[in-house]
Amino acid sequence: ALADYSDYWPEFGSLASHNEWALKAIGGDIAHQMGATGAGIKVAVLDSGVSSNIPGLASKVVAYKDFVSSQHPLEEHGTMTASTVAADYDPVTGVGGIAPGVSLIIGRVCYLNSCDQEAAKKAVIWAVEQGARVISMSFSGSNDPEMNALLMSATQRGVVVVGALGNNGCSTYFAWGSVNRSCLQGKTNESSQVSYPVPGLIAAGASDHFGGRANFSSWGPNLDLIAPGVDNIAYDPIGATNGFGGTSAATPLIAGAAA
């Protein structure tokens, strides 16, 4: 239904070549050819869990803990973020993680469309204890002094922490020609809820097919890096999808690149 608006799509080619655009845009394919796959590195993905039926992904999970066990699991978002980091390459669909050689530490802190801040605090401590060298968090949070202290402690120990900046940029709804008036673009500051104001933490924004900031992607003083966040290929619990987007999709790309 949205194909008419995607005039920036590359020449289609094969299904795989079309879907691999994000990986190639940041040189992931070249890194793999050089032997850089993240082997020996543990990456903690704090999200909504991960599906156990994704080929070559579940076997890489070396630690798993559910910090919101009272909530019904919905693993779609977590599976997409984890597979963006570590999925084995599939030559048919083009799905494949930026760092397929890593080991995964999975902390479930999200459910439905919400992430529990208190659960996330416990998960950060646990992930560091499990030996995580990189922590990927595809969510943002409020300026919570306790969380800030925990994240700062992690970064001071050499752990790379990547957090999503959020999707509150001022974008036009092309179907109606109206503008998102609830955006935070141009209004963000170090005490806003857009990202944790922690020195050493990488706040992830999303880029589009041209390499510029996607119009929905939040920006402000906390923005550190952008990575592809439009039409990314990943696994959800059912199979491969090229509909993963937002700063949630950019965050695990940066985390995987760090690994």
Side-chain angles (χ1 to χ4, degrees), residues 23-247:
L23 181 73
K24 292 180 177 178
I26 61 175
D29 55 334
I30 298 173
H32 294 170
Q33 292 170 14
M34 296 173 64
T37 65
I41 302 297
K42 293 181 179 179
V43 177
V45 179
L46 308 185
D47 210 293
S48 62
V50 63
S51 174
S52 61
N53 63 359
I54 303 302
L57 187 63
S59 61
K60 298 176 184 178
V61 177
V62 295
Y64 180 96
K65 190 167 184 177
D66 191 341
F67 293 90
V68 285
S69 57
S70 62
Q71 300 294 332
H72 184 72
L74 184 63
E75 300 162 337
E76 180 179 16
H77 195 269
T79 301
M80 290 191 290
T81 55
S83 63
T84 297
V85 174
D88 289 334
Y89 177 69
D90 175 22
V92 176
T93 62
V95 67
I98 181 69
V102 304
S103 298
L104 290 173
I105 297 169
I106 302 295
R108 181 173 176 257
V109 300
C110 304
Y111 52 91
L112 297 178
N113 292 321
S114 300
C115 297
D116 188 301
Q117 181 87 338
E118 296 305 312
K121 294 176 186 177
K122 297 175 184 177
V124 168
I125 297 172
W126 173 78
V128 174
E129 290 174 346
Q130 295 297 314
R133 297 284 304 281
V134 183
I135 298 177
S136 177
M137 308 187 307
S138 286
F139 53 87
S140 57
S142 60
N143 189 11
D144 182 327
E146 185 178 15
M147 176 60 109
N148 293 344
L150 291 172
L151 293 173
M152 189 175 297
S153 175
T155 59
Q156 289 175 344
R157 294 176 64 172
V159 179
V160 178
V161 182
V162 188
L165 197 64
N167 306 318
N168 292 311
C170 295
S171 57
T172 300
Y173 298 119
F174 55 79
W176 302 284
S178 60
V179 175
N180 172 16
R181 297 295 181 186
S182 64
C183 63
L184 298 176
Q185 182 171 314
K187 305 172 187 176
T188 62
N189 54 57
E190 286 296 324
S191 62
S192 78
Q193 65 176 4
V194 174
S195 186
Y196 304 101
V198 176
L201 180 144
I202 299 172
S207 62
D208 58 21
H209 294 77
F210 296 112
R213 182 182 59 82
N215 60 1
F216 59 78
S217 180
S218 300
W219 61 273
N222 289 328
L223 176 60
D224 296 308
L225 293 173
I226 61 174
V230 180
D231 305 320
N232 292 18
I233 183 74
Y235 280 121
D236 64 23
I238 297 175
T241 174
N242 61 4
F244 190 29
T247 56

